[in-house]
Amino acid sequence: MAPTRKIDRAATETVCPAFRDEYGVWHVRDAASSRALLRDTETVQAGLGVETVEKLPSGFRRPVLYWDGPAHREYRRQTARFFTPKRVDEDYRLLMHRVADREIAVLRAAGRADLSELSFRLAVDVAKAVVGLTESRPGTARRLSRFFPEKLGTPGFTSPHGVYWAARILYLWLAIHVNDVRPAIRARRRRREDDLISHLLDEGARGGEILSECITVAAAGMVTTREFICAAAWHLFTDDALLAAYRAGDEQARYAILHEIARLEPPLGALKRRTTAPVTLPDGTVIAPDEQVEVSIAAANLDHADGPGLTFGDGPHKCPGSYLAVQETDIFLTKLFAQDGVRLEGEPRVAFNHAFGSYSLHDMIVSVGDRSVEA
């Protein structure tokens, strides 16, 4: 039996023709139109904080997440080598096993642990290897987790609340720069490696620009991988038939199960774009230039006309780390569900960040060991 969606996104799950709401924002929810819109080169990034990035000084190099056009495509071509299946298998598989074994040992020693903490440390250490943050001082996961709280306030300078959040964000950026990014930059300036920071230095990026790129990678990769691991585990813990198939399957079969869960529970439920020229959707709908468009990944993934789904996006901004995320998820969950007496102590609490269309799972406590011994 195929798994069913656990995380309820309410109205955004409705598959329907494209429409323009009362605020002038277009909504695209069927699979064919969503894929076409994401692939269209007459659109640019919107949302994901792009409004704030556009206010940066003109001489400041924007994170690549906010690039579009030929420069973006060339950058993606040059950095694609960091994320190929061959590179992931050869350079990061052993690291994934080592870090996963470390986190499982933490769970076994304590008897119980919060799965979000175990999975986040895994995602952080794998991403650090890809990026080149190999000289970090201890505590990277703790610093990054504080950077992405469950509830994020709005920074500003017109109220005590805004000043607090502005100061908090500045402090956290500084902490990551001093403890993680600056040591890596110093090491790569002495000796280049085959990683993202070395590539950025070769491109002439400055320290602050590399810091912003690393924070973007953290948001786009580490946090979403943590939530994917937790969501996949939730499905496996609560579906005996699915767990049996996962345990009995070979790697290809396990990957297929994980991709199906990713289709049902995309960590980012929506992606936003702005049109720069008229865009015609497959059903003939024409969206004029300079229109805001929200693509509902959560809805499009339920459109059975499109099997693979759009969890990892599509087009120029398709997630380059999809294979990396699935492989580290599989390695960790295979080890987790091999533990004697592994169990989920209760359903996790689901929180939503509506600005990013994302979810996070909290209080997801897993335990191992013999129940009779605990009793």
Side-chain angles (χ1 to χ4, degrees):
M1 180 182 295
T4 57
R5 180 168 280 177
K6 287 183 172 292
I7 298 170
D8 182 12
R9 287 186 164 104
T12 59
E13 295 183 347
T14 305
V15 178
C16 60
F19 66 95
R20 196 169 188 257
D21 67 20
E22 64 270 30
Y23 303 104
V25 177
W26 280 89
H27 295 265
V28 177
R29 293 182 174 177
D30 68 281
S33 295
S34 296
R35 193 175 295 280
L37 195 286
L38 293 175
R39 289 181 176 181
D40 200 298
T41 57
E42 303 295 347
T43 66
V44 295
Q45 283 278 45
L48 297 175
V50 69
E51 298 83 4
T52 301
V53 171
E54 288 176 345
K55 296 177 183 178
L56 293 172
S58 59
F60 191 89
R61 181 186 187 277
R62 274 69 170 161
V64 71
L65 177 66
Y66 304 103
W67 292 16
D68 284 286
H72 173 256
R73 292 192 290 273
E74 177 60 20
Y75 178 92
R76 290 292 297 266
R77 185 192 67 78
Q78 293 177 4
T79 58
R81 69 183 188 275
F82 299 131
F83 303 99
T84 64
K86 183 175 185 293
R87 176 70 178 269
V88 171
D89 283 335
E90 292 180 352
D91 288 9
Y92 308 128
R93 181 183 285 270
L94 290 179
L95 171 66
M96 293 176 191
H97 277 283
R98 186 168 67 250
V99 177
D101 285 337
R102 182 195 69 198
E103 296 306 315
I104 295 298
V106 170
L107 170 62
R108 291 179 60 84
R112 64 197 298 271
D114 191 324
L115 188 61
S116 66
E117 295 180 4
L118 302 178
S119 58
F120 191 52
R121 288 194 293 265
L122 168 72
V124 167
D125 281 3
V126 173
K128 283 170 63 177
V130 178
V131 173
L133 296 172
T134 52
E135 282 72 31
S136 295
R137 298 186 177 99
T140 303
R142 183 182 68 255
R143 288 187 289 275
L144 286 170
S145 65
R146 294 176 64 192
F147 202 89
F148 302 104
E150 181 178 347
K151 293 183 179 180
L152 180 64
T154 302
F157 298 98
T158 59
S159 69
H161 176 83
V163 170
Y164 165 79
W165 278 100
R168 175 191 168 96
I169 291 173
L170 179 61
Y171 169 78
L172 294 175
W173 274 73
L174 183 62
I176 295 170
H177 175 67
V178 170
N179 293 285
D180 300 286
V181 177
R182 188 168 64 183
I185 291 174
R186 287 174 174 171
R188 296 306 179 273
R189 280 178 174 157
R190 291 193 297 268
R191 178 180 176 181
R192 295 289 203 268
E193 300 288 348
D194 191 16
D195 54 38
L196 185 59
I197 288 179
S198 295
H199 176 80
L200 292 171
L201 288 171
D202 288 340
E203 291 289 301
R206 296 169 292 184
E209 296 166 339
I210 294 174
L211 170 64
S212 65
E213 195 72 66
C214 290
I215 295 295
T216 302
V217 169
M222 303 176 200
V223 175
T224 53
T225 299
R226 174 186 66 187
E227 302 310 334
F228 175 44
I229 291 174
C230 289
W234 191 9
H235 276 270
L236 293 171
F237 272 121
T238 55
D239 188 328
D240 291 340
L242 188 66
L243 177 57
Y246 186 78
R247 282 172 161 162
D250 59 13
E251 186 175 78
Q252 184 176 3
R254 296 195 305 271
Y255 281 14
I257 290 173
L258 293 177
H259 276 288
E260 174 62 7
I261 295 174
R263 182 184 69 82
L264 291 170
E265 316 287 11
L268 287 178
L271 296 173
K272 297 179 180 180
R273 296 290 187 269
R274 179 175 59 82
T275 58
T276 59
V279 172
T280 303
L281 301 180
D283 65 359
T285 300
V286 178
I287 301 177
D290 202 30
E291 296 277 12
Q292 299 293 317
V293 185
E294 180 174 295
V295 178
S296 175
I297 303 302
N301 279 6
L302 296 184
D303 187 347
H304 296 291
D306 185 81
L310 294 167
T311 293
F312 298 105
D314 206 325
H317 286 278
K318 184 174 183 178
C319 174
S322 57
Y323 187 84
L324 186 79
V326 170
Q327 185 173 97
E328 65 184 289
T329 297
D330 177 60
I331 287 172
F332 178 76
L333 292 182
T334 299
K335 294 177 185 294
L336 176 67
F337 286 101
Q339 302 305 305
D340 292 335
V342 64
R343 56 196 177 275
L344 180 64
E345 294 193 353
E347 285 204 352
R349 176 172 56 85
V350 182
F352 291 95
N353 184 322
H354 296 289
F356 295 102
S358 61
Y359 64 81
S360 55
L361 301 180
H362 300 269
D363 307 321
M364 193 169 182
I365 306 301
V366 296
S367 56
V368 295
D370 189 345
R371 294 173 189 253
S372 62
V373 173
E374 295 176 357

